[in-house]
PDB file of all heavy atoms in Angstrom:
ATOM      1  N   ALA A 180      31.371 -15.673  -8.865  1.00  0.00           N
ATOM      2  CA  ALA A 180      31.797 -14.495  -8.090  1.00  0.00           C
ATOM      3  C   ALA A 180      30.988 -14.410  -6.798  1.00  0.00           C
ATOM      4  O   ALA A 180      31.543 -14.186  -5.712  1.00  0.00           O
ATOM      5  CB  ALA A 180      31.597 -13.236  -8.937  1.00  0.00           C
ATOM      6  N   THR A 181      29.672 -14.609  -6.912  1.00  0.00           N
ATOM      7  CA  THR A 181      28.801 -14.472  -5.742  1.00  0.00           C
ATOM      8  C   THR A 181      29.151 -15.481  -4.665  1.00  0.00           C
ATOM      9  O   THR A 181      29.256 -15.158  -3.485  1.00  0.00           O
ATOM     10  CB  THR A 181      27.328 -14.711  -6.148  1.00  0.00           C
ATOM     11  OG1 THR A 181      27.002 -13.817  -7.183  1.00  0.00           O
ATOM     12  CG2 THR A 181      26.397 -14.509  -4.976  1.00  0.00           C
ATOM     13  N   THR A 182      29.297 -16.743  -5.061  1.00  0.00           N
ATOM     14  CA  THR A 182      29.501 -17.777  -4.049  1.00  0.00           C
ATOM     15  C   THR A 182      30.859 -17.591  -3.378  1.00  0.00           C
ATOM     16  O   THR A 182      30.992 -17.739  -2.172  1.00  0.00           O
ATOM     17  CB  THR A 182      29.328 -19.181  -4.673  1.00  0.00           C
ATOM     18  OG1 THR A 182      28.650 -20.011  -3.735  1.00  0.00           O
ATOM     19  CG2 THR A 182      30.623 -19.837  -5.068  1.00  0.00           C
ATOM     20  N   LEU A 183      31.866 -17.242  -4.161  1.00  0.00           N
ATOM     21  CA  LEU A 183      33.196 -17.081  -3.561  1.00  0.00           C
ATOM     22  C   LEU A 183      33.234 -15.870  -2.616  1.00  0.00           C
ATOM     23  O   LEU A 183      33.883 -15.920  -1.574  1.00  0.00           O
ATOM     24  CB  LEU A 183      34.266 -16.967  -4.654  1.00  0.00           C
ATOM     25  CG  LEU A 183      34.446 -18.241  -5.501  1.00  0.00           C
ATOM     26  CD1 LEU A 183      35.469 -18.005  -6.611  1.00  0.00           C
ATOM     27  CD2 LEU A 183      34.864 -19.429  -4.622  1.00  0.00           C
ATOM     28  N   ASP A 184      32.502 -14.818  -2.962  1.00  0.00           N
ATOM     29  CA  ASP A 184      32.483 -13.649  -2.078  1.00  0.00           C
ATOM     30  C   ASP A 184      31.673 -13.935  -0.815  1.00  0.00           C
ATOM     31  O   ASP A 184      32.016 -13.459   0.273  1.00  0.00           O
ATOM     32  CB  ASP A 184      31.943 -12.425  -2.820  1.00  0.00           C
ATOM     33  CG  ASP A 184      32.907 -11.989  -3.921  1.00  0.00           C
ATOM     34  OD1 ASP A 184      34.046 -12.526  -3.976  1.00  0.00           O
ATOM     35  OD2 ASP A 184      32.539 -11.124  -4.738  1.00  0.00           O
ATOM     36  N   ALA A 185      30.627 -14.731  -0.946  1.00  0.00           N
ATOM     37  CA  ALA A 185      29.831 -15.095   0.231  1.00  0.00           C
ATOM     38  C   ALA A 185      30.679 -15.952   1.178  1.00  0.00           C
ATOM     39  O   ALA A 185      30.631 -15.794   2.396  1.00  0.00           O
ATOM     40  CB  ALA A 185      28.569 -15.834  -0.189  1.00  0.00           C
ATOM     41  N   LEU A 186      31.478 -16.848   0.611  1.00  0.00           N
ATOM     42  CA  LEU A 186      32.350 -17.678   1.452  1.00  0.00           C
ATOM     43  C   LEU A 186      33.433 -16.821   2.107  1.00  0.00           C
ATOM     44  O   LEU A 186      33.824 -17.055   3.249  1.00  0.00           O
ATOM     45  CB  LEU A 186      32.996 -18.800   0.633  1.00  0.00           C
ATOM     46  CG  LEU A 186      32.037 -19.882   0.133  1.00  0.00           C
ATOM     47  CD1 LEU A 186      32.787 -20.905  -0.710  1.00  0.00           C
ATOM     48  CD2 LEU A 186      31.319 -20.576   1.296  1.00  0.00           C
ATOM     49  N   ALA A 187      33.908 -15.832   1.375  1.00  0.00           N
ATOM     50  CA  ALA A 187      34.929 -14.936   1.950  1.00  0.00           C
ATOM     51  C   ALA A 187      34.357 -14.242   3.180  1.00  0.00           C
ATOM     52  O   ALA A 187      35.023 -14.112   4.211  1.00  0.00           O
ATOM     53  CB  ALA A 187      35.373 -13.911   0.911  1.00  0.00           C
ATOM     54  N   ASP A 188      33.098 -13.846   3.062  1.00  0.00           N
ATOM     55  CA  ASP A 188      32.449 -13.193   4.199  1.00  0.00           C
ATOM     56  C   ASP A 188      32.286 -14.170   5.368  1.00  0.00           C
ATOM     57  O   ASP A 188      32.607 -13.866   6.507  1.00  0.00           O
ATOM     58  CB  ASP A 188      31.071 -12.675   3.739  1.00  0.00           C
ATOM     59  CG  ASP A 188      30.310 -12.037   4.871  1.00  0.00           C
ATOM     60  OD1 ASP A 188      30.558 -10.860   5.150  1.00  0.00           O
ATOM     61  OD2 ASP A 188      29.480 -12.723   5.507  1.00  0.00           O
ATOM     62  N   ALA A 189      31.823 -15.372   5.053  1.00  0.00           N
ATOM     63  CA  ALA A 189      31.549 -16.348   6.121  1.00  0.00           C
ATOM     64  C   ALA A 189      32.835 -16.842   6.784  1.00  0.00           C
ATOM     65  O   ALA A 189      32.848 -17.151   7.975  1.00  0.00           O
ATOM     66  CB  ALA A 189      30.764 -17.529   5.555  1.00  0.00           C
ATOM     67  N   TRP A 190      33.888 -16.926   6.015  1.00  0.00           N
ATOM     68  CA  TRP A 190      35.116 -17.555   6.529  1.00  0.00           C
ATOM     69  C   TRP A 190      36.237 -16.553   6.795  1.00  0.00           C
ATOM     70  O   TRP A 190      37.356 -16.953   7.089  1.00  0.00           O
ATOM     71  CB  TRP A 190      35.617 -18.613   5.528  1.00  0.00           C
ATOM     72  CG  TRP A 190      34.657 -19.745   5.320  1.00  0.00           C
ATOM     73  CD1 TRP A 190      33.609 -20.096   6.131  1.00  0.00           C
ATOM     74  CD2 TRP A 190      34.663 -20.691   4.242  1.00  0.00           C
ATOM     75  NE1 TRP A 190      32.967 -21.201   5.613  1.00  0.00           N
ATOM     76  CE2 TRP A 190      33.590 -21.589   4.463  1.00  0.00           C
ATOM     77  CE3 TRP A 190      35.473 -20.868   3.119  1.00  0.00           C
ATOM     78  CZ2 TRP A 190      33.296 -22.649   3.588  1.00  0.00           C
ATOM     79  CZ3 TRP A 190      35.198 -21.923   2.250  1.00  0.00           C
ATOM     80  CH2 TRP A 190      34.115 -22.800   2.484  1.00  0.00           C
ATOM     81  N   GLN A 191      35.949 -15.275   6.593  1.00  0.00           N
ATOM     82  CA  GLN A 191      36.998 -14.245   6.714  1.00  0.00           C
ATOM     83  C   GLN A 191      38.203 -14.637   5.860  1.00  0.00           C
ATOM     84  O   GLN A 191      39.359 -14.579   6.274  1.00  0.00           O
ATOM     85  CB  GLN A 191      37.376 -14.064   8.191  1.00  0.00           C
ATOM     86  CG  GLN A 191      36.167 -13.626   9.005  1.00  0.00           C
ATOM     87  CD  GLN A 191      36.360 -13.708  10.502  1.00  0.00           C
ATOM     88  OE1 GLN A 191      37.404 -14.111  10.982  1.00  0.00           O
ATOM     89  NE2 GLN A 191      35.340 -13.357  11.257  1.00  0.00           N
ATOM     90  N   TRP A 192      37.861 -15.078   4.661  1.00  0.00           N
ATOM     91  CA  TRP A 192      38.844 -15.616   3.711  1.00  0.00           C
ATOM     92  C   TRP A 192      39.480 -14.446   2.968  1.00  0.00           C
ATOM     93  O   TRP A 192      38.766 -13.653   2.351  1.00  0.00           O
ATOM     94  CB  TRP A 192      38.096 -16.544   2.754  1.00  0.00           C
ATOM     95  CG  TRP A 192      38.919 -17.339   1.784  1.00  0.00           C
ATOM     96  CD1 TRP A 192      40.260 -17.344   1.621  1.00  0.00           C
ATOM     97  CD2 TRP A 192      38.389 -18.276   0.838  1.00  0.00           C
ATOM     98  NE1 TRP A 192      40.618 -18.228   0.630  1.00  0.00           N
ATOM     99  CE2 TRP A 192      39.488 -18.811   0.137  1.00  0.00           C
ATOM    100  CE3 TRP A 192      37.106 -18.704   0.496  1.00  0.00           C
ATOM    101  CZ2 TRP A 192      39.336 -19.755  -0.886  1.00  0.00           C
ATOM    102  CZ3 TRP A 192      36.944 -19.649  -0.507  1.00  0.00           C
ATOM    103  CH2 TRP A 192      38.059 -20.169  -1.186  1.00  0.00           C
ATOM    104  N   THR A 193      40.791 -14.318   3.045  1.00  0.00           N
ATOM    105  CA  THR A 193      41.463 -13.177   2.414  1.00  0.00           C
ATOM    106  C   THR A 193      42.630 -13.637   1.525  1.00  0.00           C
ATOM    107  O   THR A 193      42.939 -14.827   1.463  1.00  0.00           O
ATOM    108  CB  THR A 193      42.060 -12.218   3.466  1.00  0.00           C
ATOM    109  OG1 THR A 193      43.217 -12.865   4.044  1.00  0.00           O
ATOM    110  CG2 THR A 193      41.065 -11.856   4.540  1.00  0.00           C
TER     111      THR A 193
END
Side-chain angles (χ1 to χ4, degrees):
T181 304
T182 219
L183 294 177
D184 293 351
L186 292 178
D188 178 83
W190 297 342
Q191 300 168 359
W192 187 359
T193 73

